[in-house]
Amino acid sequence: MAVYTDLTDEQLTDLMSNYDIGNVLSLKGIAEGVENSNFLLTTDYNGQPKKFILTLYEKRVNPDDLPFFINLMTHLAESGLLCPVPVKRKDGATLSNIAGRPAAIISFLEGLSLRRPEAVHCRALGASMAEMHLAAQRFDMTRANNLSIDAWPALYETSRQNADTLHAGLTNLIDGELARLKELWPDAHAALPRGIIHADLFADNVFFIGTELSGIIDFYFACTDMLAYDLAIVLNAWCFETDTSFNITKARALMDGYHSVRKLTPAEIDALPVLAAGAAMRFLLTRLHDWFAPQEGALVKPKNPLDYLHRLRFHKKTKSAADYGVEI
Amino acid sequence: MAVYTDLTDEQLTDLMSNYDIGNVLSLKGIAEGVENSNFLLTTDYNGQPKKFILTLYEKRVNPDDLPFFINLMTHLAESGLLCPVPVKRKDGATLSNIAGRPAAIISFLEGLSLRRPEAVHCRALGASMAEMHLAAQRFDMTRANNLSIDAWPALYETSRQNADTLHAGLTNLIDGELARLKELWPDAHAALPRGIIHADLFADNVFFIGTELSGIIDFYFACTDMLAYDLAIVLNAWCFETDTSFNITKARALMDGYHSVRKLTPAEIDALPVLAAGAAMRFLLTRLHDWFAPQEGALVKPKNPLDYLHRLRFHKKTKSAADYGVEI
């Protein structure tokens, strides 16, 4: 949950005077997202109550990245993807300033994020993710992935000396895997298709109404990287059970859904095991970092890094994309 | 903010199967109330999205008190007061159980809680509070005020030895005021009108749309006590500025609003200064308690007790209800 910043009546009135979306009916701080402050804003829009999300970007978001995120959402929504649409101000801008922070009002999407997605949801997500990847090919901004392989050694340094206190042998395992991934990571020559990826498609960022996907939110990790790396992240996030066992039925559904919209190239299929290990490494390292150096004022309990240790061990042993349910 | 309990998909599905209010469209944990977990629930009710609040009663609420709270809200709403209406289940009950906790679904009220209410809002609140007092006279349940004068010595014990570390001389001042209040507190012979009071009408519990009061929420401190004590609480909560100065214009508006619906008796008018001091003492003591013994797992920063020390000092010096804007 996260509402780091409270708003005064005057701040809200000032903000709303820049928009043409009706008068405020209510504003509730909501427990969504961990990086920013989010409010559910209801206005009387054309005489009907209408819901929006007001997001205040807190310090973990680089303000220079905001135009990328906002323009990406606008582009994807215009392309037909079910994602939040930033609302334009009267002056045509999409970013505001409130309580000393950059802020945006975006459309509200109905739907529930699932605690335990089933295969049918994985299939739907796969298809939507592929649509997102294709739609984003026509988006002309880029943003480097600052949490990819080059960033891992420095990220690891912050927790390396404590890692073994959490789990005996963890330091050795990470050292070895970092070396292996460096060796095997697809480089520019591998020519894996690149583009905009979401990079944080965890279950809390995907809404469903019944089995229908109703929205993808939280594009604040989106960046330019290998498209198949997004799939690798989702394999980790959606296809392992809470007991850390891998569910190949869900993986197969995810891959089938993706394939139904965009075919993976042979190079992507080859790279899947190492990308999956890399995705596990990325979340293992950020979780380790947050575990040992929790953010000042964070309202969120750090997540257990060991969930991703188990995943990393699994990926270390896989031999080919067939182990992830891809028909080769 | 407060969402102490997360819900699984199954828990939500189970819960909703007991109600006839449509399918869930979304569920957001919201930062409202400090005692319970609150969610904004949207369902497709008769084909339209409709908002409700789902409240899970956490350990600070005594389950035995819940029928009182729920029935009171139902009674007040049926009497025309703008307050949440508990939704009846298919079996006619209003209380459910989810995630091991008692829970209720109540109607959602639009409106903003004001950070800095103006006199016009105080007047509206005075009138609504008087309507609430009158409507509750026809409510046949009672609940003792377990945070009134008899409870203060024990409450004080939890922080007495630390009080001077927060503010030099605080212990002496509280000792003296507790003795004075015990001496002056209106007893049964004073025959002050009694009934159900809200007892926690802080600005976050009152919604406005513009200058119109649109809702009173959070009845979980409601109890049977002197009606004028509710006014005394609101005098403290609404009529002091952030620099702790007393704003008699707001007090006058509050009293005028109340009087326009229900006339205070001479005994109530006489008792106002001591009731105001008592209300300040009650919040000073609970805030001191929370300051020195913050609740385990509390997601809320303890409020500064000294705000109420300043109020208490003010009330100690007032001579009559005229000092609170009451025409005598």
Side-chain angles (χ1 to χ4, degrees), chain B residues 208-219:
Chain B
F208 289 90
I209 297 177
T211 56
E212 298 283 313
L213 191 151
S214 63
I216 291 179
I217 64 162
D218 205 344
F219 285 80

Side-chain angles (χ1 to χ4, degrees), chain B residues 167-219:
Chain B
H167 184 89
L170 185 54
T171 319
N172 272 343
L173 185 122
I174 295 177
D175 286 343
E177 274 297 280
L178 280 178
R180 186 178 78 95
L181 289 168
K182 196 173 175 191
E183 175 87 19
L184 299 178
W185 199 248
D187 62 10
H189 303 293
L192 262 61
R194 295 172 64 84
I196 306 292
I197 66 170
H198 183 286
D200 197 37
L201 270 176
F202 280 73
D204 13 348
N205 291 333
V206 185
F207 294 161
F208 289 90
I209 297 177
T211 56
E212 298 283 313
L213 191 151
S214 63
I216 291 179
I217 64 162
D218 205 344
F219 285 80

Side-chain angles (χ1 to χ4, degrees), chain A residues 5-168:
Chain A
T5 306
D6 274 337
L7 298 179
T8 66
D9 314 335
E10 292 78 9
Q11 285 168 335
L12 183 63
T13 305
D14 278 1
L15 177 80
M16 294 305 292
S17 68
N18 296 304
Y19 292 86
D20 207 11
I21 54 173
N23 293 314
V24 176
L25 291 178
S26 59
L27 183 79
K28 309 280 181 202
I30 58 171
E32 198 143 281
V34 298
E35 306 283 325
N36 303 315
S37 293
N38 287 298
F39 298 86
L40 197 156
L41 167 70
T42 308
T43 69
D44 56 345
Y45 188 74
N46 295 332
Q48 292 266 32
K50 188 172 165 73
K51 289 186 275 188
F52 300 90
I53 297 287
L54 165 62
T55 300
L56 273 60
Y57 299 101
E58 303 288 345
K59 61 184 173 186
R60 276 181 87 161
V61 174
N62 182 343
D64 295 341
D65 283 334
L66 286 173
F68 172 85
F69 300 138
I70 295 286
N71 291 345
L72 175 62
M73 283 189 273
T74 304
H75 172 86
L76 292 176
E78 283 173 356
S79 307
L81 197 82
L82 296 164
C83 75
V85 193
V87 176
K88 283 212 165 65
R89 292 156 45 110
K90 291 175 188 164
D91 63 8
T94 39
L95 279 168
S96 290
N97 196 292
I98 182 170
R101 286 152 179 81
I105 295 178
I106 58 177
S107 61
F108 179 90
L109 298 173
E110 297 287 3
L112 283 171
S113 55
L114 301 174
R115 188 72 78 83
R116 290 225 311 254
E118 302 293 329
V120 61
H121 305 111
C122 294
R123 183 182 307 274
L125 175 60
S128 281
M129 191 173 20
E131 281 161 16
M132 176 182 73
H133 288 167
L134 293 181
Q137 296 282 316
R138 298 183 304 276
F139 182 61
D140 57 8
M141 297 175 77
T142 61
R143 177 176 175 266
N145 184 355
N146 53 21
L147 288 172
S148 189
I149 188 162
D150 294 340
W152 297 342
L155 186 58
Y156 182 36
E157 272 313 304
T158 62
S159 46
R160 188 172 192 279
Q161 64 185 27
N162 293 315
D164 277 350
T165 65
L166 184 68
H167 185 89

Side-chain angles (χ1 to χ4, degrees), chain B residues 89-109:
Chain B
R89 291 156 46 110
K90 291 175 188 165
D91 63 7
T94 38
L95 279 167
S96 289
N97 195 293
I98 182 170
R101 286 151 179 82
I105 295 177
I106 59 178
S107 62
F108 178 90
L109 297 172

